[in-house]
Amino acid sequence: MRDTTTVGDELTGTQTTEAPAGPAAQPGKRGKQKKAREASLWSDAISDLRRNPIFLVGAVLVLFMLVLSIAPQWFTPGSPFEATACKLQDSLKKPSSDHWFGFDVQGCDVYTRTVWAARNSVIVGVVSTTLVLIVGGLLGLLAGWVGGIIDSLLSRFTEIFFAIPLLLGGMLIMSGLGKGNAWTVSVVLATLGWPQIFRIMRSSVLQNKNNDYVVAARALGAGTMRITMRHILPNAIAPVIVVGAISLGVYISSEAALSFLGIGVQSPEISWGLMVSDAKDRWLQAPHVLLFPAAALSVTVLAFIMVGDAVRDALDPKLR
């Protein structure tokens, strides 16, 4: 390495050597900086969500509803499916200290049924959203990245489903299937809901596929799978996650509407929509029969929408 002499060296009689270039001196620094830049969007989003009271309240409610649906026996002393769970002599009794939500027309404890009904409603929301994200996300990624004839065929196929309203299509399909449960309702809603995720993912991929970092990765010899999984998908998935979080509440309310009409979850299963349907003729006489399941449904849908809105604000740089 070349020796250099400075004015100070001449006075002191010492010599200094030229410092090595930054990248050569620290070969691992560039890789660390690259990883930091890749993770900056998500780390900033997580940091914003931790300080967002709307997200914190919504997340607590969502977590509570998930625990309630997984283990309803933790919150109720009995089960609504027991042979002695309903007694006609208790029909339409008002709330009391022993029975917080009162009794319905059949003499069943409304509190117990409201707690157990969370399971089917949450199952529909979670399963429908998961299927929609998988099907719509993968097809949108394929159409946006490959393009050409595959993009055209998938786009035209998607437009067929876009012509069918979610609730109307669900009513037609569930009417043909006959007696339904949470799983069949989930599949029906996912069948009609995936095109929205497809379009969002496709649009996001088209925006990112020609960015400089993708072109550079391709020039360096990166394969299609590596570019897709390391560069395209992480940068295109954010809007899909936002819409999926908001859609979860929409699917729960859609299940309630189908059950209210008698073509969704049906007895002996329990859901909030089915409870509202059973109470619709007696709500003036006994408003508590309608109030509590309707309130549980509203709070759950609101919680998921709050989480989705907060995630959207955190992941959208334009809103910072």
Side-chain angles (χ1 to χ4, degrees), residues 174-212:
M174 291 303 302
S175 298
L177 293 177
K179 189 174 183 179
N181 54 39
W183 302 102
T184 56
V185 173
S186 300
V187 173
V188 169
L189 293 178
T191 302
L192 299 171
W194 68 268
Q196 181 185 22
I197 298 297
F198 168 85
R199 281 197 169 182
I200 294 172
M201 175 61 86
R202 174 182 175 273
S203 175
S204 185
V205 170
L206 290 175
Q207 292 176 359
N208 288 277
K209 67 183 293 185
N210 294 321
N211 285 341
D212 293 340

Side-chain angles (χ1 to χ4, degrees), residues 26-242:
Q26 298 179 351
K29 186 176 181 180
R30 182 176 297 178
K32 293 180 180 179
Q33 290 176 345
K34 181 180 178 181
K35 292 181 180 180
R37 285 195 298 269
E38 291 176 351
S40 61
L41 174 63
W42 296 100
S43 59
D44 290 346
I46 294 174
S47 178
D48 289 344
L49 290 175
R50 289 176 177 175
R51 299 191 301 267
N52 191 336
I54 294 179
F55 172 79
L56 295 177
V57 172
V60 169
L61 291 175
V62 167
L63 180 61
F64 174 75
M65 288 300 173
L66 291 176
V67 174
L68 192 69
S69 62
I70 294 172
Q73 64 273 11
W74 293 356
F75 301 88
T76 58
S79 169
F81 303 107
E82 296 175 355
T84 60
C86 302
K87 301 178 182 178
L88 286 177
Q89 61 266 30
D90 294 328
S91 178
L92 298 180
K93 283 187 177 180
K94 296 180 186 265
S96 63
S97 58
D98 295 329
H99 301 278
W100 297 347
F101 292 1
F103 295 87
D104 62 8
V105 178
Q106 301 297 327
C108 304
D109 185 70
V110 176
Y111 171 76
T112 301
R113 288 176 64 84
T114 301
V115 170
W116 281 81
R119 171 172 292 177
N120 282 326
S121 297
V122 173
I123 283 176
V124 170
V126 173
V127 173
S128 299
T129 303
T130 303
L131 293 176
V132 162
L133 290 176
I134 293 174
V135 176
L138 290 178
L139 292 179
L141 180 63
L142 177 64
W145 178 243
V146 177
I149 186 65
I150 293 180
D151 184 18
S152 299
L153 290 175
L154 288 175
S155 297
R156 300 296 82 76
F157 180 68
T158 304
E159 290 173 357
I160 298 174
F161 288 87
F162 261 114
I164 306 174
L166 181 64
L167 277 180
L168 179 59
M171 291 168 57
L172 293 175
I173 297 175
M174 291 303 302
S175 298
L177 293 177
K179 189 174 183 179
N181 54 39
W183 302 102
T184 56
V185 173
S186 300
V187 173
V188 169
L189 293 178
T191 302
L192 299 171
W194 68 268
Q196 181 185 22
I197 298 297
F198 168 85
R199 281 197 169 182
I200 294 172
M201 175 61 86
R202 174 182 175 273
S203 175
S204 185
V205 170
L206 290 175
Q207 292 176 359
N208 288 277
K209 67 183 293 185
N210 294 321
N211 285 341
D212 293 340
Y213 56 85
V214 177
V215 176
R218 189 183 293 112
L220 291 173
T224 300
M225 183 60 66
R226 178 177 177 84
I227 294 175
T228 302
M229 302 306 296
R230 292 292 303 273
H231 300 286
I232 297 295
L233 187 59
N235 289 281
I237 197 70
V240 174
I241 294 176
V242 171

